[in-house]
């Protein structure tokens, strides 16, 4: 860059006080107007709170191309940068230097680079830097207008990571109209022992060409005579159990590059991911406790196309909210498939352990191709680098073990390092404990979480509180390293009072109205992608629900739900677009369990059944048979598209009058007491059928089971159906429920639609 022209500067300062944080996000646009050379810098105070703020910077090169850049400026009021993303920031006194992060080093003429940082300020004055210099040449201009930040935390969490978080990159991909962001997955190639053969299975991706075929190789030997088009699995009879495989796509007759090598599942059709339990401890009242592996999720944390596991550890003294008593800390780990632990987050003494307290989400919210991890935090939470959020010494537990005072936070963690990247106040705030339905701390701390494509393209984080009385749902975006609030739905707001008391012990996410954007199905009610109430059946709280194409004979999606209120129908099915109830079963007390899926080929569509209603019902509500033995989870396990029953540590196939055992987990345990759920179940590897993940009895491994059965079905990986993928993310929420895709899989199914997706 040879020369940067100068122009007069207008300065705009962001003012505030410790007593009243009058926050205004400031955008300063510094532009050089010369035709031959110049630059433009947009500096934004995106979020500001007592003692801290988040800055976003965008630099545009209006001059000659550069390969490597450094932007410098001076802070005039003692601001100190503590953390940055998208650049390497150093500071000496008032002088700040931000160097490119490598991936964004090249700036063509007209090219831009963005980065962000967290910094401290003096609670009195936070002026915008007077000028910037790019590669040593000053660029000055005028100051622009301000916009109000969406999030205004009132308490400053202190986060000082020991490592710089991985840069958040705004996607440069231009997706097709209506396309949704999904993970750039590898083939998920697995080899599972099936008698004296190996079942080789791989993913069909949502981004594959429609006519793609495949060749299968054992070592360098091609096994199939002609490219495989009818499925994405192959049975290699007589092969050695430890044989290694690759697959190669064939597009328009041309063979493409080989996949990754296969992941080998042993003779029991399982693969172990080694894990390491935290050490036990003793509560303040002298009760000792140990740890067991609990709920898990998956995400591509490092962007290599292979999933990593994120695992929650529960202490043996974890409590339901209705139970008093101290609990041990909750830990959350990340593991590669080889058992390498990437990080461990200690949520600290101010987050109670139990099914309703910690709901964690694993998803690529930033769009940089790597998943982040989000969860509720508090003073004393220690991130994956060892840095403490808030006060390390604060202890808000009362004598009954409840945490009913003190700040509450929401934190987005870096998936690779576990570093806290953005921490804001948890919304909704606790407020007055008794306003949620009781005064001792039960209903105030009922939390739910999810992930939804509210704009139809990129995922947003959903965090919620309350469902017995007041219900509040908050939607968050994570862009350029910062959490910002999209909207809040509150049953206490004007016009929303009828939505109080309608939530479940879980939620679901789906595009119920067909507008390309997701809604939040929150039990007996639904909230639109805009944050406004969409419909409300008024049937109240319940313990289980299912949302999917349960009746393929009618347009759109349906919801099947059970009710707790003895004055309401014990179960019902509704049109998920309008909330119109299609059929009900008679009231019969607290109906605590219910399932809906096509589990039997003898009846069209999904079968629905529940604990307090008799019989097995078809999509029209008519009784068509006897109830199965379980009312829990589901899994597509064998060769046909009819789903199987997953309960405790086994998988059964229902045949209309009885059941056949297909799998019994070996030396494993289920989770969550009588709920008896797996750590995770879903289409994690191989073709479209589902894996089941249980911890081993000794809690030293996650044991991943996959099917040994050859199928003739070809279906795109369910993880590229965003309704299903979001369901994997929310599966760990409170009373875990199985995932459902946006289309019908079952007997007599139509060819599924190809997903409209893109990868960053």
């Amino acid at each position: 860059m040879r020369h940067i022209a100068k122009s007069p500067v207008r300065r705009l300062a962001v003012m505030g006080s410790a007593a009243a944080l009058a926050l205004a996000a400031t955008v300063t646009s510094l532009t050089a107007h010369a035709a031959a050379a110049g630059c433009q810098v947009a500096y934004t105070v995106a979020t500001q709170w007592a003692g801290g703020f988040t800055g976003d910077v965008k630099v545009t090169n209006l001059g000659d191309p550069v390969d490597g850049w450094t932007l410098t400026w001076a802070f005039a009021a003692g601001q100190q940068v503590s953390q940055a993303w998208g650049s390497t920031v150093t500071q000496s006194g008032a002088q700040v230097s931000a160097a490119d992060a490598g991936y964004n080093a090249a700036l063509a003429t007209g090219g831009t680079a963005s980065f962000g940082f967290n910094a401290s300020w003096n609670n009195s004055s936070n002026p915008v830097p007077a000028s910037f210099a790019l590669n040593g040449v000053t660029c000055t201009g005028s100051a622009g207008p301000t916009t109000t930040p969406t999030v205004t935390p009132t308490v400053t969490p202190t986060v000082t990571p020991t490592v710089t978080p991985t840069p958040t990159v705004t996607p440069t991909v231009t997706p097709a109209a209506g396309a949704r962001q999904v993970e750039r997955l590898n083939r998920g190639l697995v080899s599972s022992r099936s008698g004296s053969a190996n079942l080789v299975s791989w993913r069909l991706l949502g981004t594959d060409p429609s006519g793609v075929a495949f060749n299968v190789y054992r070592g360098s030997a091609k096994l199939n005579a002609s490219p495989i088009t009818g499925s994405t699995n192959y049975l290699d009879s007589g092969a050695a159990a430890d044989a290694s495989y690759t697959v190669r796509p064939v597009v328009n007759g041309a063979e493409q590059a080989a996949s990754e090598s296969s992941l080998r599942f042993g003779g029991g059709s399982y693969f172990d991911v080694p894990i390491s339990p935290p050490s036990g401890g003793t509560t303040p009242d002298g009760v000792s406790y140990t740890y067991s592996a609990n709920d898990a999720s998956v995400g591509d944390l490092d962007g290599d196309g292979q999933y990593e596991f994120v695992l929650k550890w529960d202490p043996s003294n974890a409590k339901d909210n209705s139970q008093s008593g101290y609990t041990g800390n909750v830990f959350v780990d990340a593991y590669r498939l080889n058992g390498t632990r990437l990080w461990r987050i200690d949520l600290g003494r101010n987050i109670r352990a139990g099914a309703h307290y910690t709901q964690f989400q694993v998803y690529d919210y930033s769009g940089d191709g790597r998943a982040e991890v989000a969860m509720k935090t508090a003073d004393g939470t220690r991130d994956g680098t060892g840095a403490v959020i808030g006060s390390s010494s604060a202890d808000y537990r009362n004598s009954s073990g409840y945490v009913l005072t003190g700040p509450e936070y929401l934190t987005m963690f870096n998936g690779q390092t576990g570093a806290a990247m953005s921490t804001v106040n948890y919304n909704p705030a606790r407020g007055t404990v008794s306003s949620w339905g009781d005064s001792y701390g039960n209903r105030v701390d009922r939390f739910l979480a999810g992930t939804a494509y509210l704009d139809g393209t990129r995922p947003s984080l959903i965090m919620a509180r309350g469902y017995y009385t007041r219900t509040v749902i908050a939607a968050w975006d994570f862009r350029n390293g910062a959490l910002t609030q999209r909207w809040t739905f509150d049953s206490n707001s004007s016009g929303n009072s009828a939505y109080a008391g309608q939530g479940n012990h879980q939620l679901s996410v789906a595009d119920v109205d067909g507008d390309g954007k997701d809604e939040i199905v929150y039990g007996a009610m639904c909230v639109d992608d805009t944050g406004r109430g969409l419909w409300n059946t008024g049937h109240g709280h319940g313990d289980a629900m299912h949302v999917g194409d349960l009746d393929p004979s009618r347009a759109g999606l349906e919801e099947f739900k059970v009710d707790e209120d003895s004055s309401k129908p014990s179960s019902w099915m509704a049109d998920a677009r309008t909330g119109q109830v299609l059929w009900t079963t008679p009231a019969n007390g607290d109906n605590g369990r219910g399932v809906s899926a096509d589990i039997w080929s003898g009846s069209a569509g999904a079968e629905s059944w529940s604990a307090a209603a008799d019989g097995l019902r078809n999509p029209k509500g008519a009784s068509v048979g006897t109830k199965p033995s379980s009312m829990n989870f589901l899994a597509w396990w064998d060769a046909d598209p009819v789903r199987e029953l997953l309960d405790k540590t086994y998988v059964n196939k229902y045949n209309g009058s009885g059941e056949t055992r297909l799998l019994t987990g070996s030396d494993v345990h289920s989770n969550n007491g009588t709920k008896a759920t797996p750590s995770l179940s879903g289409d994690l590897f191989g073709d479209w059928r589902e894996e089941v993940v249980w911890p081993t009895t000794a809690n030293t491994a996650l044991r991943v089971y996959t099917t040994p059965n050859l199928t003739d079905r070809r279906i795109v990986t369910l993880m590229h159906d965003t309704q299903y993928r979001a369901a994997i993310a929310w599966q760990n929420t409170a009373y875990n429920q199985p995932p459902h895709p946006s289309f019908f899989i079952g007997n007599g199914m139509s060819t599924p639609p190809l997903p409209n997706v893109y990868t960053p």
Side-chain angles (χ1 to χ4, degrees), residues 454-710:
L454 300 175
D455 65 1
T457 300
R458 295 183 63 186
S460 297
L461 174 66
I462 304 298
M463 301 300 284
R465 185 180 214 141
Y467 36 74
Y468 286 113
T469 52
R470 184 186 178 194
T471 289
V472 186
I473 306 169
W476 298 85
D477 290 334
F478 182 67
R479 309 285 189 262
N480 298 317
L483 281 162
T484 56
Q485 193 166 313
R486 176 178 282 265
W487 51 253
T488 300
F489 173 89
D490 191 341
S491 62
N492 277 2
S493 296
S494 176
N496 290 344
S497 60
Y499 287 85
Q502 301 302 312
N504 256 37
H505 284 301
Q506 65 283 132
L507 51 72
S508 187
V509 173
D511 177 14
V512 302
D513 57 7
D515 66 354
K517 302 174 183 179
D518 284 342
E519 282 70 47
I520 315 303
V521 184
Y522 203 81
M525 55 174 273
C526 183
V527 174
D528 203 358
D529 57 88
T530 60
R532 297 180 179 272
L534 184 63
W535 53 258
N536 177 15
T537 68
H539 285 327
H541 168 72
D543 287 1
M545 68 179 194
H546 299 260
V547 178
D549 190 2
L550 306 178
D551 184 354
S553 70
R554 63 186 306 277
L557 306 176
E558 293 78 35
E559 177 188 8
F560 175 74
K561 180 183 174 301
V562 298
D563 288 340
E564 187 171 291
D565 188 339
S566 60
S567 68
K568 301 290 171 55
S570 57
S571 66
W572 47 268
M573 184 173 286
D575 183 330
R577 177 190 291 267
T578 64
Q580 176 191 359
V581 176
L582 304 173
W583 56 265
T584 66
T585 57
N588 191 20
D590 180 356
N591 194 6
R593 302 285 180 92
V595 184
S596 187
D598 186 15
I599 61 163
W600 181 38
S601 60
S603 174
E607 290 75 47
S608 304
W609 70 104
S610 64
D614 61 348
L616 185 71
R617 297 179 183 269
N618 70 13
K620 308 304 181 185
S623 181
V624 293
T626 59
K627 287 193 290 189
S629 64
S630 65
M631 291 164 247
N632 196 359
F633 261 60
L634 301 158
W636 281 292
W637 188 260
D638 64 6
D640 64 48
V642 172
R643 216 167 184 185
E644 280 68 56
L645 305 168
L646 168 57
D647 186 40
K648 300 175 182 175
T649 58
Y650 57 81
V651 175
N652 280 0
K653 187 170 187 67
Y654 178 80
N655 61 21
S657 59
E659 297 172 24
T660 302
R661 179 64 51 89
L662 301 183
L663 171 69
T664 300
S666 173
D667 192 28
V668 294
H669 70 80
S670 59
N671 290 324
N672 302 311
T674 60
K675 297 294 183 285
T677 54
S679 288
L680 182 66
S681 73
D683 179 13
L684 309 181
F685 303 101
D687 62 29
W688 55 274
R689 290 167 298 174
E690 295 174 299
E691 283 67 44
V692 185
V693 184
W694 291 292
T696 57
T697 304
N699 293 296
T700 56
L702 290 177
R703 184 155 288 173
V704 185
Y705 281 86
T706 193
T707 181
N709 302 302
L710 183 72

Side-chain angles (χ1 to χ4, degrees), residues 75-143:
F75 279 133
Q79 300 99 318
Q80 291 288 322
V81 175
S82 60
Q83 171 183 18
W85 47 92
S87 69
T88 300
V89 176
T90 57
Q91 183 169 355
S92 178
Q95 303 300 314
V96 184
S97 175
D100 67 76
Y103 71 90
N104 57 359
L107 281 180
T109 302
T112 63
S114 298
F115 63 92
F117 61 85
N118 288 334
S120 62
W121 69 300
N122 60 17
N123 291 332
S124 177
S125 177
N126 189 9
V128 171
S131 65
F132 294 85
L134 185 64
N135 288 355
V137 181
T138 302
C139 177
T140 60
S142 59

Side-chain angles (χ1 to χ4, degrees), residues 112-278:
T112 63
S114 298
F115 63 92
F117 61 85
N118 288 334
S120 62
W121 69 300
N122 60 17
N123 291 332
S124 177
S125 177
N126 189 9
V128 171
S131 65
F132 294 85
L134 185 64
N135 288 355
V137 181
T138 302
C139 177
T140 60
S142 59
T146 67
T147 56
T148 304
T150 314
V151 185
T152 311
T154 56
V155 183
T156 309
T158 355
V159 183
T160 311
T162 56
V163 299
T164 301
T166 303
T168 298
V169 184
T170 300
T172 57
V173 175
T174 302
R180 292 187 174 202
Q181 173 197 309
V182 294
E183 295 152 308
R184 188 186 296 272
L185 297 173
N186 63 17
R187 290 292 168 190
L189 184 66
V190 298
S191 170
S192 174
R193 198 64 175 163
S194 181
S196 61
N198 291 331
L199 179 67
V200 185
S201 174
W202 61 94
R203 292 183 181 116
L204 179 64
L205 302 172
T207 52
D208 279 332
S210 59
V212 66
F214 296 92
N215 290 330
V216 181
Y217 286 78
R218 184 196 325 119
S220 60
K222 189 171 77 166
L223 303 180
N224 51 300
S226 60
I228 298 169
T229 59
S231 69
T232 55
N233 63 173
Y234 179 88
L235 191 67
D236 188 14
S237 299
D242 61 354
S244 180
Y245 299 87
T246 57
V247 295
R248 300 183 186 185
V250 180
V251 180
N252 296 325
E255 190 174 73
Q256 309 297 305
S259 70
E260 77 284 359
S261 296
S262 56
L263 182 68
R264 186 168 70 88
F265 284 66
S269 294
Y270 65 76
F271 174 84
D272 278 355
V273 178
I275 56 177
S276 50

Side-chain angles (χ1 to χ4, degrees), residues 319-325 352 356-357 400 402 438 440-443 445-446 468 735:
K319 306 291 185 186
D320 183 80
N321 298 45
S322 62
Q323 301 168 335
S324 62
R352 206 165 182 244
H356 302 288
Y357 293 102
S400 297
Y402 289 100
D438 61 67
Y440 70 96
N442 179 356
R443 297 182 175 189
D445 279 351
R446 299 288 181 146
Y468 286 113
Y735 288 177

